[in-house]
Amino acid sequence: MTKPEIAPLHEDLTFHGPLSEERAERLIRSLHPLDDAHVLDVGCGWAEFLLRTLEAAPTATGTGVDLDATAIAHAQATAAARGLADRVSLQVADVAQWQPGRPVDVIIVNGASQVWGGDPLQHTANALTAAKQLLRSGGKLLLGEGFWEREPTDEQLAAMPIPRDQYGSLADLVDLAHEHGYRLLAVEQASLDEWDVFENGHALAWERWLRDNPDSEHADEIRTKADTHRAHRLRGWRGTLGLAYLTLQAS
């Protein structure tokens, strides 16, 4: 039985996360100066944020790493179309088993702390530790990470596949970064509108597929995925789970 082909997320989303164009520009500015810097984006997806960072810094170079071969292929095509292919390396690889050739100046870990594996309750701490080992002294980390915008109720926790202890408050997240040898330069959080745009785009491919394939043997499977995700979102994390963007400097 073949798997159904669902449209990749880049067909409906600009960034693989709750991130507006305006905020992306501001986050990139928070990483400056980027003159001659090398930027590493782990779990980069189709690397839109990395490519925009390089467009904003003409002497910078970059590396993007992700396990999704389809996303990396799209990123490579986009880089070539924008004239960036000679300044960026986009690789299909497991970050947990991968090492750059030298310490990097900037690391982007945007909603991807899980790429180093391990206990989900330790994903953030593991990412902070791993990034510190890859950064040069004084380098910067842009960390996009979850936190509880408000305390989840028992009903919300029952409706989403996220344990209560996986996240703390925003202040807890910043404290954790400081405990791992970083200093906070800037902090923002995704708005509810940004979350909605992201979640709508994430779900759209399933709904489009169901519309176009009503009699497929996979229809029940895809409908269940779409319905489960919608319940997680609307009965669980919407308005409760936040995403913070921390610009950190390794001390």
Side-chain angles (χ1 to χ4, degrees):
M1 182 182 295
T2 59
K3 291 184 178 181
E5 292 189 9
I6 306 298
L9 289 175
H10 62 71
E11 291 191 6
D12 297 302
L13 292 168
T14 301
F15 302 104
H16 192 189
L19 181 62
S20 65
E21 301 264 354
E22 179 183 5
R23 193 182 309 280
E25 291 180 8
R26 191 162 57 247
L27 293 176
I28 290 169
R29 289 197 300 271
S30 79
L31 300 174
H32 286 191
L34 288 167
D35 300 329
D36 299 316
H38 189 72
V39 182
L40 169 64
D41 190 342
V42 300
C44 67
W46 54 92
E48 181 64 28
F49 189 88
L50 174 61
L51 297 180
R52 292 192 184 206
T53 301
L54 298 183
E55 286 175 327
T59 62
T61 57
T63 299
V65 182
D66 199 285
L67 280 173
D68 187 337
T70 299
I72 289 295
H74 180 75
Q76 290 169 336
T78 303
R82 295 185 188 176
L84 296 170
D86 62 339
R87 291 202 285 134
V88 66
S89 172
L90 297 157
Q91 306 174 25
V92 179
D94 181 350
V95 173
Q97 308 297 324
W98 178 90
Q99 288 288 327
R102 61 181 176 85
V104 299
D105 301 290
V106 173
I107 297 182
I108 300 164
V109 185
N110 191 355
S113 59
Q114 72 278 0
V115 297
W116 282 283
D119 183 347
L121 302 185
Q122 296 298 316
H123 280 172
T124 308
N126 290 346
L128 289 165
T129 298
K132 189 81 177 295
Q133 294 171 348
L134 299 175
L135 277 171
R136 68 166 175 80
S137 178
K140 291 179 181 177
L141 165 64
L142 177 61
L143 177 68
E145 186 57 280
F147 71 98
W148 293 124
E149 189 170 341
R150 55 182 55 86
E151 185 70 20
T153 66
D154 290 342
E155 291 78 10
Q156 287 172 320
L157 287 170
M160 57 180 162
I162 303 172
R164 167 63 184 84
D165 293 341
Q166 184 165 341
Y167 299 116
S169 69
L170 180 55
D172 292 335
L173 177 59
V174 173
D175 287 348
L176 184 65
H178 276 236
E179 291 166 9
H180 280 76
Y182 297 87
R183 299 295 299 177
L184 179 69
L185 302 182
V187 59
E188 302 188 24
Q189 73 179 74
S191 69
L192 187 58
D193 283 347
E194 287 171 306
W195 268 113
D196 282 344
V197 168
F198 171 61
E199 293 292 355
N200 289 341
H202 198 273
L204 183 58
W206 287 325
E207 297 303 329
R208 187 185 295 117
W209 187 93
L210 286 168
R211 180 198 66 198
D212 295 340
N213 301 275
D215 300 321
S216 169
E217 62 182 331
H218 298 289
D220 287 344
E221 171 194 352
I222 298 303
R223 187 176 297 107
T224 297
K225 286 184 178 181
D227 292 348
T228 299
H229 184 85
R230 184 180 67 252
H232 289 167
R233 171 192 177 190
L234 298 180
R235 297 187 181 277
W237 63 63
R238 187 179 188 273
T240 299
L241 177 64
L243 187 80
Y245 295 103
L246 275 56
T247 303
L248 303 165
Q249 187 158 35
S251 58

